[in-house]
Amino acid sequence: MIRGNLKMPDVELAKKQGEDLLKTRVFAVRQSFSYEETAYHLPISYALTGVPVHDRKAALDVYSRTGRNPLVASESILADMTAVSGKEPAPYTGFISDTVIRKLGYSLVDGSILGLALVVGTPQNAGMAAAVCRELQEKYMLTFLAGKVIPALSGAGVRLGLEYRLIPLGSTPFYGVHFVDIIARVAMMFGGVPPGDTHRLLTYAAERARAIVIVFPGLTDEEIALVDGMRVLGFPILTPGGYQGGSWIQAGPEDIVRKGMEEKGIRVNVTAIPIPMGCSPAFEGKSIRKEEMYVEFGGGRSPAFELLRMRMPDEIRDGQVTVIGPEIGTMKEGSANPLGIIIEVAGRTMKKDYEPVLERRIHNFVNYGEGSWHVAQRDLIWVRISKEAVAKGVRIEHIGKLLASKFRMDFPQLIDAVSVTLITDREKVLAAKKEAEEVYDERDARIKGMRDQDVDTYYSCTLCQTFAPNHVCVITPERPALCGAISWLDGKIAFEMSPAGANQPVEKGAALNVRNGEFDGVNRFIKKASHGEIERCSLYSVMEYPMTCCGCFEAIALMLPEVNGIMVVNREFKGLTPSGMTFSTLAGTIGGGAQTPGFAGISKSYILSDRFLQGEGGIERLVWMPSQLKDELKDRLTKKLAEKGLAGLFEKIADETTAATIEDLAAFLERVQHPALAMKPLV
Ligand code: SF4
């Protein structure tokens, strides 16, 4: 065996010796082994031959049927090793489950992952490995790692994990075999390749799998044989030195990624944005915890909002970024500051109708920044900038540059000019926020009057799957998205603008339960879009199969069985609710893409809809809301209640001033004779 980089191994020679060693080891595999998290048995063997391998006999049979393929041998040996010794401890992932692959498949289709890379071996220095991996992240590649490159990256402070698109498979390059079993499953799951159709598998891998392999030194002969075996799948094998001979491509560390991607025909439309932090979807799933944060904006701690407006081309200067008010340098570490984000766009094909759909992309783009984080929408946004980013020189201005560049890059067909204004002066934020609220109201009014029964098609939104992988919003005319930022009309427009995007038409199909709003077409859609996790969804019920929740909801509706009613708490309310929990505790309990009967994430405007709480008997179930939310909705809600013959109900809805605890609430409802008390029991 050859290890280390004292001597440059000859790839051809090492490969031959490695294949012999693999043969010896595959004949020594024990009696039975399998991976729990897959329906594809040993996926490489299954894809190549159609034989489900779970024991020594089948492993040897497949090994000989595939002409002693080193990938097949390595797969059986690794499965056997895992069965005997168990999975390696964290951070290593080992075998990746089918569920994770299904989620990744969506990103491969929508272009947010451009290709896959495997990086194995022992880098000569950690800084070089970190630079290669950063370039892969910035070029929208999903990277798998195996061997000593993993501790080298961790030692250099590189964050690893699926959320960073750097997945540490295992402690030795041998674990690189999981990279191939992932591609075999992608071919069977998404590529329509039937198990056992070797020709179609190889064609799929060569033509459709956008995969490259980067090899640092330090591989054993067996590992060289395994990696070289990947050439049969059409993956270019690149090495920054340390090997000679064979068909491996030599490339310097500075251009190894570019060369590999070119070799595989992976075209990147990503131009580096000149700001002092990385910018890529690879960073979108990260969070910035309180102790990691330098400053924050909004989130109920300071006024903040975001707004995107269309302008005439001569009204804006393309690329202009203006900061009005204090910059980060004068903000106290750990402080909450006001922020207004105003994006103005112009373009020949741009339409006013597109404004809210584009505005929602601010959320994604800010999260692309390695040290910036964004949740929620409109005047509920919450933005953080990390200490690490500020130490590297990131300023408010750079968030503006990031936004201006991303809007130009991602919507070239729509946008010819973008200018960004970031306001941090408190008075000016408050004044501009008032104007923004008028725009939000105008947008909400456009959809008024449309009813769910008037349309056969609803629209989905899966933008938040980066945070909540199984979450799917279904948006109907009478049930706006739970973030309050996307109406049915916006979903329709977004689909027109980008037919392969995150908003897809949902044929509602036959009604299964009219009262709860359960439709067979919606169920079919949800099952697929939630990667098989959610089977049923009631559009109008909190209690039975409610919609999943990401983390962006404007408010939470939850049952209070003690008083036979439903309360609503909005994001801005910081106190305890009669449920004994604050909004943030509740949000932590129900977010992440889960379906939690008894709880639903909702938009504030949904409270005014005729479909609100329909499954629970109607708005007569509403027993408690924070006083600030009551005030905000007062005019519209009293009018709505009067139309429904429920005049007087508004005063019967308690708030924190009339009922702080569940006992207070029970007494209050009794006193005002709230109709919920006489309704059918909730549970
Ligand atoms: S909350 Fe729903 S509608 Fe809003 S951005 Fe997220 S997935 Fe889309």
Side-chain angles (χ1 to χ4, degrees):
M1 277 186 213
I2 301 163
R3 209 178 249 293
N5 53 0
L6 294 173
K7 184 179 160 203
M8 289 239 275
D10 178 301
V11 171
E12 280 307 311
L13 191 65
K15 183 185 123 182
K16 284 201 184 73
Q17 289 172 356
E19 284 176 359
D20 285 345
L21 286 163
L22 285 174
K23 184 177 143 195
T24 314
R25 286 183 68 191
V26 80
F27 276 97
V29 297
R30 277 144 275 218
Q31 287 312 314
S32 67
F33 42 81
S34 62
Y35 294 116
E36 308 264 295
E37 314 93 326
T38 181
Y40 296 88
H41 317 284
L42 293 197
I44 304 172
S45 303
Y46 190 53
L48 283 169
T49 63
V51 176
V53 174
H54 292 286
D55 57 32
R56 175 187 158 83
K57 187 172 169 299
L60 295 181
D61 174 39
V62 167
Y63 181 54
S64 76
R65 276 173 63 178
T66 56
R68 300 188 166 174
N69 186 305
L71 299 175
V72 168
S74 304
E75 181 178 48
S76 295
I77 294 166
L78 188 58
D80 183 46
M81 264 166 57
T82 309
V84 173
S85 317
K87 269 192 150 190
E88 291 194 301
Y92 303 117
T93 60
F95 187 84
I96 304 278
S97 71
D98 288 356
T99 316
V100 172
I101 292 175
R102 279 199 195 92
K103 287 170 195 161
L104 293 175
Y106 183 83
S107 307
L108 280 165
V109 173
D110 76 5
S112 54
I113 294 176
L114 286 183
L116 308 175
L118 171 66
V119 179
V120 293
T122 310
Q124 286 93 334
N125 71 68
M128 184 247 276
V132 167
C133 288
R134 167 169 292 264
E135 189 177 344
L136 286 163
Q137 285 175 313
E138 289 181 355
K139 292 193 166 161
Y140 291 30
M141 296 288 283
L142 176 67
T143 303
F144 296 85
L145 308 157
K148 293 225 169 71
V149 65
I150 297 167
L153 289 170
S154 300
V158 177
R159 299 206 175 127
L160 306 177
L162 185 54
E163 64 276 40
Y164 296 101
R165 298 195 177 182
L166 292 175
I167 303 176
L169 291 172
S171 63
T172 72
F174 210 61
Y175 283 86
V177 76
H178 288 319
F179 181 67
V180 185
D181 74 45
I182 289 164
I183 286 165
R185 278 178 287 165
V186 168
M188 291 185 279
M189 278 180 202
F190 306 109
V193 175
D197 192 333
T198 312
H199 176 70
R200 275 183 69 184
L201 175 72
L202 296 184
T203 310
Y204 179 90
E207 292 174 4
R208 304 272 308 281
R210 292 162 294 183
I212 65 170
V213 181
I214 294 176
V215 192
F216 289 119
L219 267 59
T220 62
D221 291 353
E222 290 155 297
E223 289 158 356
I224 289 174
L226 160 65
V227 168
D228 194 73
M230 296 180 198
R231 282 195 302 116
V232 77
L233 300 163
F235 306 163
I237 318 283
L238 298 106
T239 176
Y243 300 96
Q244 60 187 13
S247 305
W248 293 13
I249 302 165
Q250 304 286 325
E254 61 295 333
D255 54 23
I256 200 163
V257 173
R258 181 189 53 76
K259 214 164 176 178
M261 290 176 78
E262 267 174 24
E263 196 66 34
K264 200 61 207 167
I266 308 170
R267 285 221 313 275
V268 207
N269 286 328
V270 189
T271 318
I273 301 172
I275 55 174
M277 68 173 164
C279 176
S280 158
F283 305 120
E284 198 182 358
K286 69 176 184 314
S287 61
I288 296 177
R289 295 195 308 271
K290 199 162 183 238
E291 53 282 13
E292 297 166 328
M293 151 205 122
Y294 185 83
V295 276
E296 63 183 337
F297 308 90
R301 292 162 175 83
S302 59
F305 73 95
E306 64 195 13
L307 183 69
L308 183 140
R309 304 306 311 270
M310 178 184 156
R311 299 285 180 222
M312 297 313 288
D314 56 356
E315 289 179 309
I316 58 171
R317 219 176 77 218
D318 186 31
Q320 178 167 299
V321 174
T322 314
V323 178
I324 302 174
E327 248 297 353
I328 283 201
T330 57
M331 291 173 185
K332 218 171 124 226
E333 185 173 328
S335 60
N337 302 270
L339 179 69
I341 303 175
I342 301 175
I343 316 264
E344 292 169 291
V345 300
R348 268 157 299 159
T349 49
M350 175 68 198
K351 293 183 189 164
K352 202 169 162 41
D353 283 350
Y354 298 168
E355 284 179 354
V357 180
L358 291 175
E359 184 177 293
R360 194 64 191 121
R361 299 312 297 266
I362 297 173
H363 171 66
N364 304 86
F365 295 159
V366 174
N367 280 320
Y368 284 6
E370 195 177 2
S372 51
W373 172 86
H374 179 288
V375 283
Q377 63 294 314
R378 291 187 170 184
D379 53 356
L380 290 175
I381 55 167
W382 187 6
V383 176
R384 280 181 169 171
I385 299 180
S386 72
K387 287 181 189 160
E388 206 180 320
V390 172
K392 285 184 187 160
V394 171
R395 302 285 174 265
I396 309 274
E397 178 202 358
H398 298 126
I399 304 292
K401 284 195 171 150
L402 186 159
L403 287 166
S405 307
K406 286 304 296 171
F407 273 107
R408 279 290 255 132
M409 280 178 203
D410 283 27
F411 300 98
Q413 73 292 12
L414 217 58
I415 296 176
D416 299 324
V418 189
S419 90
V420 179
T421 307
L422 298 153
I423 314 175
T424 56
D425 174 277
R426 189 181 174 83
E427 293 314 312
K428 290 188 173 124
V429 168
L430 289 173
K433 181 165 166 267
K434 228 177 174 153
E435 283 173 34
E437 278 159 1
E438 284 166 22
V439 178
Y440 306 147
D441 288 346
E442 270 169 38
R443 288 178 187 166
D444 292 343
R446 280 189 305 151
I447 190 145
K448 230 172 147 192
M450 277 192 75
R451 303 180 69 81
D452 283 4
Q453 68 252 36
D454 300 338
V455 298
D456 293 326
T457 306
Y458 299 149
Y459 287 88
S460 67
C461 186
T462 48
L463 269 182
C464 289
Q465 286 200 344
T466 46
F467 286 100
N470 298 320
H471 171 65
V472 189
C473 273
V474 174
I475 309 165
T476 78
E478 292 180 277
R479 182 171 176 157
L482 52 84
C483 60
I486 301 192
S487 68
W488 178 87
L489 208 52
D490 300 332
K492 188 171 186 297
I493 292 163
F495 175 65
E496 276 167 32
M497 283 166 59
S498 169
N503 300 100
Q504 292 293 312
V506 181
E507 295 305 325
K508 73 177 168 187
L512 301 176
N513 182 330
V514 175
R515 197 178 83 137
N516 286 0
E518 188 182 0
F519 301 92
D520 66 358
V522 173
N523 281 350
R524 265 196 304 277
F525 185 96
I526 295 255
K527 183 161 185 197
K528 196 158 164 235
S530 70
H531 317 101
E533 290 293 314
I534 309 294
E535 304 257 343
R536 298 175 65 179
C537 171
S538 308
L539 299 174
Y540 315 138
S541 176
V542 176
M543 301 298 292
E544 287 176 42
Y545 309 106
M547 207 179 283
T548 55
C549 292
C550 49
C552 292
F553 30 77
E554 285 188 302
I556 298 169
L558 70 139
M559 64 161 174
L560 293 174
E562 301 89 334
V563 293
N564 206 31
I566 301 236
M567 60 158 269
V568 171
V569 55
N570 54 315
R571 191 175 281 276
E572 297 93 328
F573 183 69
K574 301 288 168 221
L576 271 181
T577 69
S579 69
M581 289 182 270
T582 59
F583 176 90
S584 64
T585 312
L586 286 164
T589 314
I590 67 167
Q595 184 175 57
T596 318
F599 300 77
I602 58 168
S603 66
K604 291 190 220 171
S605 59
Y606 179 49
I607 299 168
L608 302 166
S609 160
D610 285 333
R611 303 279 83 80
F612 178 58
L613 300 183
Q614 180 172 293
E616 284 69 46
I619 197 162
E620 295 95 309
R621 282 280 186 196
L622 183 58
V623 291
W624 191 94
M625 281 200 291
S627 54
Q628 181 263 328
L629 181 60
K630 273 184 82 179
D631 279 352
E632 188 180 325
L633 299 179
K634 187 171 181 185
D635 294 347
R636 288 173 291 166
L637 190 54
T638 42
K639 195 164 160 237
K640 178 95 226 158
L641 292 172
E643 278 165 22
K644 291 169 94 72
L646 295 167
L649 180 61
F650 186 81
E651 286 71 30
K652 294 182 179 179
I653 301 168
D655 58 42
E656 75 281 9
T657 64
T658 47
T661 64
I662 196 76
E663 293 77 21
D664 294 346
L665 182 59
F668 175 89
L669 299 177
E670 197 65 53
R671 198 162 59 246
V672 298
Q673 288 292 296
H674 193 289
L677 298 176
M679 290 171 89
K680 195 173 143 214
L682 265 182
V683 284

